[in-house]
Amino acid sequence: MSTAHVHNPDLTAPTVVKTIGQRSLVVGVIFSVIAVVGASAQPTVFFRGYLLGFMAWMGVALGSMAVLMLRHMTGGGWGMVIRRIMGAAMRTLPFMALLFVPILFGLPRLYVWARPLESITDKHLREHLQEITKSYLTVNGFILRAIVYFAIWNALSFLLTKWSREQDRPGGRDNSARFKAVSGPGLILYGLTISFAAIDWVMSLDPSWISTIYGLLVLAGQVLSAICFAVVVERILVRYRPMSEMLKPDYVHDHGKLMLTFVMVWAYFEFSQWLIIWAGNLPEEITWYMRRLNGGWGYIGLFLVVFHFAVPFVLLLSRPFKRDVTRLVWLAIWLIVMRYLDIFWNIEPNFSNTLTVTWADVVVPIAMGGLWLAYFFRNLGSMPLLPAYDLDAKEILEPAHE
Amino acid sequence: MSPDGLEKTAVEARPPVLAPGHTYASITDKISSIVLLQKTKRGWWFGFAVAFTLFMVLNFAVGYLMLMGVGIWGINIPIAWGFAIVNFVWWIGIGHAGTLISAFLLLMRQAWRQSINRFAEAMTLFAVASAGMFPLLHMGRPWLFYWLMPYPDTMGTWPQFRSPLVWDVFAVSTYGTISLLFWFVGLLPDLATLRDRASNRLAQITYGFLAMGWRGSARHWQRYEMAYLLLAGLATPLVVSVHTVVSFDFTIAVVPGWHSTIFPPYFVAGAIYSGFAMVLTLAIPLRQFYGLEDFITLRHLENMAKILLATGLIVAYGYVMETFMAFYSGSTYDRSMIMNRMTGPYAPVYWLLITGNIAIPLTALWSAKIRRNVAALFVISLIVQMGMWLERFVIVVTSLHRDFMPSAWGMYYPTIWDWATFAGSIGLFLTLFFLFIRFLPMISIFEMRGLVHQVKEEKA
């Protein structure tokens, strides 16, 4: 078989990947030690921060899988050039499953439904929980469902990685049909599993509150996190070969457009949820917002409106801004921070009526992030940055026509 | 395309956007001849006669309504929103596909839109006309419709701006205006082509008048492109905002079955779902009767089928979440609402909706073979439209007929006048559409010429 790639450039990741990975590991280990020490002193506070960190990093990992599957469905150079970045993030899912285990030890500390019913003083809540804690919100059910979610996610990740690896060697067959065959159902599975996981892990913190759009809100947030993360990594890699030759302004432009799209989608979902609940003003629904708009939490909410939506939206309207990765990266970093803040605003007001930030809200997400990034960069270094024998790779390796 | 011996079957097997062998001239001849040269086909007369008869039924039904009032319909208390609102939501939803194709796909630089955008935009316009009629008729005194507008008057009336029904007035009238402008601006170069080719004096004057002095100079084109792009940018958010506002009509209330936060995106997806089904329903016979298979190829049909599949899945997701949350919430009212839908007096309607919206299309469209089977697609497109109409019926009627207090429950039975108005609105839509295909180019001539150039360039 003759090869189309006359000049076969070195596609392995630059050594900087290893350096960053090692540094992340150091940060991760140091903060983990602090977190463990803190956990022994204030276990309840620790678990709250833990759930926050878990949801934040889960968003990047799972969102990357979603974007990857989207790329397999639609094609396009924008996705090819960051395909291996998203793949490396997706392959942290076994680690995320491992990180999930400690939550099981904190269930009664986090979730009111996991506590004995007698201990609940609020009469209405106890009445409400009487039924649901027998049917859906049970500890066994919670564990069983988590096993199903992680099994599905890891199975998808396994298949996508396996076929992608085949494309690093010559002589393989065209896998694009297989990728499609898995990604279509995969996206449906992702949509359903993340919705129910969001209900289990976050929405059930306030078991009497419901919002049918909540799953989609979490989904949009995850995809946004993943795109921003990919932009940050591509910015690091673009200083070195081979990314410096692969990443064209058109692709960066597409990434910027995706950021804009999901900033808008997120805001649209948030606004819809808020307007409907505000207008309905039902006691079981509005309480969720009452908590989040009073006692200082409202400032965070307002901050999110301005800096998770309005400012990024205006910036992302500019075409030159979207095409320049060295500028776009700053907004991407900022939006990752905003994603963290949004999750913070969703989770923490359940535990306190007034705005409180604990040591765990900062330390645990950093600890988790350090370890997660170390694993991510190890994954990134373990495979070439482009599957050279994928038919779409040609487009990336060709010099720009402009 | 595969010098390295790798198979590229999936891509190569896709049908082209434009059948090979076409030139600028052949496209202009083919499309403009339908309007200018060909004798009006017998099939057209037949279809127009049926449509016009239905339109007359509408006029009769509306005339009688004006005489007698809305009491001739089946609406009552508690079901004050009957067919009128069901039809309104259904028609406005259908319109959305046209805007999505013409504006959103233009911004996305999707070349395949070019042969279907013209008649899809026309479809939008006529669907909005059919839709807009219903809330006005439902008001009971349609001649006082201007009370919905905020204007200073001696009566001291002012619209309640917290009511989504007022937002509807603005959303729909904006939508109608932009759709008309977008369609008309897009027609200008083609109207000029018709003007230049027409041999009959009346046609020359009419098309010449409508073409607004278009001469096709470079400056004309430059301004035209700019205007068209700006209108596309304005129209795209409307695809989302109009149906979001329509969904607020329901969700702002606290009625179980209406008050659900997922409604905005789920309504938008449902609108696109039914709209693309309507585009298929119109496109498939059109390409057959007028021999336009070269322009509206299997590729178009397949792409539309894929969009049907994707939006249908979002709609299905909405059903899943609604049902799950009703049980998860622990609310007696939410639960009995769902149980009532599934097992109550309107249960057959609900299950028919699930069959038409989910069971049949979402299993069939999964197969690439069916997505390329013209006859199957035509049938599916009709089934989806029925399913989406029933969905609105279920949302409007079953939620209202049993809310909180059993003493306030009731039933809704559509009368002959409900059916006549509904059938008549289809008549209005089809009448306008038949006139459109007879007097205006149903496919954009100049954009197809652009496509010839594009295809040539891709080959080179």
Side-chain angles (χ1 to χ4, degrees):
Chain A
M1 177 174 290
S2 69
T3 168
H5 315 299
V6 188
H7 66 108
N8 223 340
D10 183 12
L11 292 173
T12 47
T15 48
V16 66
V17 163
K18 213 172 177 182
T19 324
I20 304 177
Q22 281 164 350
R23 284 183 196 161
S24 307
L25 188 64
V26 173
V27 173
V29 169
I30 293 174
F31 277 81
S32 296
V33 172
I34 304 174
V36 170
V37 173
S40 54
Q42 287 179 300
T44 306
V45 171
F46 166 79
F47 277 113
R48 291 169 187 172
Y50 193 90
L51 183 65
L52 168 62
F54 177 78
M55 286 311 293
W57 290 105
M58 192 73 202
V60 183
L62 261 185
S64 296
M65 185 171 82
V67 179
L68 188 62
M69 289 193 291
L70 192 69
R71 189 226 80 91
H72 287 317
M73 293 305 288
T74 62
W78 66 269
M80 202 62 197
V81 77
I82 52 170
R83 192 170 135 187
R84 283 293 160 84
I85 299 176
M86 294 181 299
M90 172 181 76
R91 276 178 285 135
T92 60
L93 281 169
F95 178 60
M96 292 315 295
L98 190 70
L99 283 181
F100 182 74
V101 176
I103 291 181
L104 299 179
F105 295 97
L107 284 186
R109 292 178 196 279
L110 288 170
Y111 302 99
V112 67
W113 52 262
R115 288 175 211 153
L117 274 181
E118 309 80 68
S119 70
I120 297 160
T121 46
D122 184 341
K123 200 179 109 231
H124 296 287
L125 186 60
R126 197 168 56 221
E127 253 169 42
H128 177 78
L129 287 176
Q130 216 125 40
E131 202 181 334
I132 194 83
T133 48
K134 285 196 195 87
S135 51
Y136 193 78
L137 289 178
T138 61
V139 172
N140 284 338
F142 184 88
I143 297 171
L144 195 71
R145 287 193 298 271
I147 292 173
V148 173
Y149 306 146
F150 277 109
I152 290 173
W153 297 335
N154 278 297
L156 287 171
S157 162
F158 173 79
L159 287 176
L160 294 173
T161 308
K162 182 170 165 270
W163 296 331
S164 192
R165 227 182 266 276
E166 284 175 14
Q167 298 181 320
D168 285 331
R169 295 182 301 271
R173 60 182 196 134
D174 180 15
N175 274 342
S176 52
R178 284 158 129 189
F179 279 132
K180 268 198 174 143
V182 162
S183 299
L187 281 169
I188 298 172
L189 282 171
Y190 165 71
L192 285 173
T193 48
I194 188 56
S195 303
F196 285 99
I199 294 167
D200 278 0
W201 300 344
V202 187
M203 207 170 98
S204 80
L205 285 168
D206 183 347
S208 53
W209 182 70
I210 62 154
S211 170
T212 42
I213 205 174
Y214 201 71
L216 287 183
L217 248 176
V218 171
L219 184 149
Q222 290 198 333
V223 174
L224 179 61
S225 304
I227 296 161
C228 291
F229 181 74
V231 169
V232 175
V233 178
E234 80 189 14
R235 169 69 188 97
I236 298 171
L237 293 177
V238 81
R239 270 185 268 190
Y240 311 93
R241 287 162 76 96
M243 189 56 94
S244 54
E245 283 163 19
M246 283 156 51
L247 190 69
K248 292 157 198 157
D250 274 350
Y251 301 147
V252 179
H253 192 185
D254 285 342
H255 300 158
K257 281 187 202 163
L258 277 171
M259 280 167 67
L260 175 62
T261 307
F262 278 89
V263 162
M264 290 197 289
V265 168
W266 173 86
Y268 169 59
F269 290 171
E270 279 285 356
F271 174 73
S272 301
Q273 176 179 284
W274 175 78
L275 183 75
I276 290 166
I277 290 180
W278 172 81
N281 206 16
L282 294 172
E284 65 265 29
E285 286 182 345
I286 196 69
T287 39
W288 194 86
Y289 275 110
M290 292 302 280
R291 269 182 172 279
R292 279 158 186 79
L293 295 177
N294 291 304
W297 293 110
Y299 296 114
I300 309 253
L302 196 62
F303 193 82
L304 284 171
V305 172
V306 178
F307 293 101
H308 193 316
F309 170 65
V311 172
F313 172 75
V314 171
L315 286 175
L316 283 168
L317 287 179
S318 148
R319 189 181 144 93
F321 182 79
K322 275 181 291 201
R323 292 179 75 84
D324 181 0
V325 73
T326 57
R327 284 156 74 193
L328 190 65
V329 70
W330 294 108
L331 187 66
I333 293 172
W334 176 251
L335 279 171
I336 290 174
V337 176
M338 285 301 99
R339 286 304 312 135
Y340 162 83
L341 196 67
D342 182 36
I343 298 167
F344 174 78
W345 187 71
N346 269 265
I347 292 178
E348 301 302 327
N350 283 299
F351 307 118
S352 161
N353 282 325
T354 50
L355 176 60
T356 28
V357 186
T358 63
W359 61 268
D361 295 335
V362 180
V363 170
V364 184
I366 294 179
M368 226 179 252
L371 300 179
W372 188 89
L373 284 173
Y375 190 40
F376 164 79
F377 281 108
R378 192 203 70 98
N379 285 343
L380 189 64
S382 70
M383 278 162 87
L385 284 183
L386 192 72
Y389 294 89
D390 187 305
L391 287 167
D392 295 339
K394 253 180 288 174
E395 187 195 333
I396 312 286
L397 293 172
E398 271 171 14
H401 294 299
E402 291 165 73
Chain B
M1 200 37 211
S2 48
D4 43 4
L6 288 173
E7 308 156 59
K8 196 145 187 179
T9 44
V11 180
E12 267 172 2
R14 288 175 76 186
V17 188
L18 174 67
H22 274 290
T23 61
Y24 298 150
S26 75
I27 283 175
T28 314
D29 286 345
K30 184 136 196 188
I31 302 173
S32 66
S33 75
I34 295 173
V35 178
L36 295 174
L37 298 177
Q38 287 179 21
K39 241 186 107 211
T40 311
K41 293 189 182 211
R42 198 171 288 167
W44 186 91
W45 280 113
F46 177 72
F48 182 72
V50 173
F52 195 70
T53 310
L54 281 175
F55 179 42
M56 285 299 119
V57 171
L58 176 77
N59 286 334
F60 186 66
V62 171
Y64 192 60
L65 179 83
M66 297 286 178
L67 207 64
M68 305 299 288
V70 288
I72 63 166
W73 289 347
I75 51 174
N76 53 41
I77 298 298
I79 304 111
W81 285 11
F83 264 32
I85 306 303
V86 176
N87 296 338
F88 163 68
V89 180
W90 187 66
W91 276 119
I92 200 95
I94 283 173
H96 281 41
T99 320
L100 192 91
I101 291 171
S102 53
F104 182 68
L105 295 183
L106 176 81
L107 297 182
M108 290 287 122
R109 285 172 281 164
Q110 295 288 320
W112 63 274
R113 71 178 265 291
Q114 285 165 358
S115 53
I116 53 174
N117 69 334
R118 171 68 48 73
F119 75 84
E121 281 168 39
M123 175 195 85
T124 296
L125 213 54
F126 307 148
V128 171
S130 294
M133 181 178 78
F134 281 103
L136 297 183
L137 295 178
H138 187 252
M139 289 193 313
R141 288 186 284 172
W143 50 91
L144 297 179
F145 74 94
Y146 59 89
W147 286 13
L148 289 164
M149 294 291 169
Y151 69 99
D153 61 32
T154 52
M155 300 177 293
T157 51
W158 194 250
Q160 167 58 281
F161 273 97
R162 280 196 178 184
S163 163
L165 302 181
V166 173
W167 309 344
D168 253 351
V169 175
F170 293 102
V172 174
S173 51
T174 311
Y175 188 49
T177 313
I178 295 278
S179 299
L180 180 66
L181 275 177
F182 197 54
W183 183 66
F184 180 63
V185 169
L187 264 169
L188 285 178
D190 281 2
L191 287 169
T193 304
L194 292 181
R195 172 197 62 197
D196 299 344
R197 294 195 145 222
S199 47
N200 149 347
R201 190 73 193 135
L202 181 68
Q204 283 172 343
I205 292 175
T206 316
Y207 290 125
F209 178 75
L210 290 172
M212 295 178 85
W214 177 271
R215 291 185 312 279
S217 73
R219 180 171 290 178
H220 280 182
W221 278 110
Q222 192 251 339
R223 289 198 176 141
Y224 167 83
E225 292 285 343
M226 180 62 102
Y228 200 63
L229 206 63
L230 281 176
L231 280 171
L234 282 173
T236 302
L238 290 176
V239 178
V240 176
S241 69
V242 174
H243 229 66
T244 299
V245 169
V246 171
S247 83
F248 287 153
D249 292 344
F250 299 93
T251 51
I252 295 295
V254 292
V255 178
W258 282 10
H259 185 71
S260 179
T261 50
I262 203 167
F263 265 32
Y266 151 79
F267 263 53
V268 173
I272 297 167
Y273 191 40
S274 62
F276 268 89
M278 183 59 108
V279 179
L280 279 173
T281 310
L282 297 174
I284 289 172
L286 271 185
R287 71 196 279 274
Q288 195 88 21
F289 288 134
Y290 287 98
L292 298 171
E293 285 96 340
D294 286 1
F295 301 151
I296 305 171
T297 66
L298 278 180
R299 169 85 160 272
H300 296 96
L301 302 185
E302 196 185 356
N303 281 354
M304 287 193 269
K306 281 181 182 167
I307 294 178
L308 275 189
L309 182 62
T311 48
L313 284 166
I314 301 176
V315 171
Y317 176 92
Y319 297 156
V320 170
M321 271 303 142
E322 241 192 327
T323 312
F324 171 78
M325 287 297 183
F327 288 96
Y328 174 85
S329 72
S331 154
T332 323
Y333 304 110
D334 283 352
R335 230 176 260 200
S336 52
M337 177 272 295
I338 288 284
M339 290 313 291
N340 180 43
R341 272 185 194 176
M342 291 177 174
T343 60
Y346 292 107
V349 181
Y350 179 80
W351 293 112
L352 203 58
L353 128 79
I354 296 291
T355 316
N357 259 0
I358 310 292
I360 296 175
L362 296 190
T363 44
L365 291 172
W366 206 258
S367 134
K369 230 187 223 157
I370 293 186
R371 288 200 301 259
R372 289 179 194 181
N373 181 331
V374 180
L377 276 184
F378 185 67
V379 174
I380 289 173
S381 74
L382 290 174
I383 291 175
V384 168
Q385 286 178 70
M386 177 205 71
M388 284 308 295
W389 189 86
L390 293 174
E391 183 200 291
R392 275 64 176 256
F393 181 87
V394 164
I395 291 175
V396 170
V397 175
T398 66
S399 309
L400 280 179
H401 95 116
R402 288 185 180 173
D403 62 357
F404 302 97
M405 274 202 307
S407 60
W409 289 1
M411 285 295 287
Y412 168 79
Y413 302 103
T415 63
I416 180 83
W417 298 107
D418 281 306
W419 288 110
T421 320
F422 175 45
S425 72
I426 297 176
L428 168 66
F429 175 81
L430 288 179
T431 303
L432 291 169
F433 202 80
F434 272 110
L435 291 175
F436 159 71
I437 53 176
R438 183 64 193 81
F439 291 111
L440 290 168
M442 69 181 103
I443 294 179
S444 170
I445 302 171
F446 76 95
E447 283 185 285
M448 291 304 284
R449 291 191 213 124
L451 203 57
V452 172
H453 180 68
Q454 214 170 314
V455 172
K456 233 188 268 167
E457 237 182 17
E458 265 166 35
K459 268 194 194 142

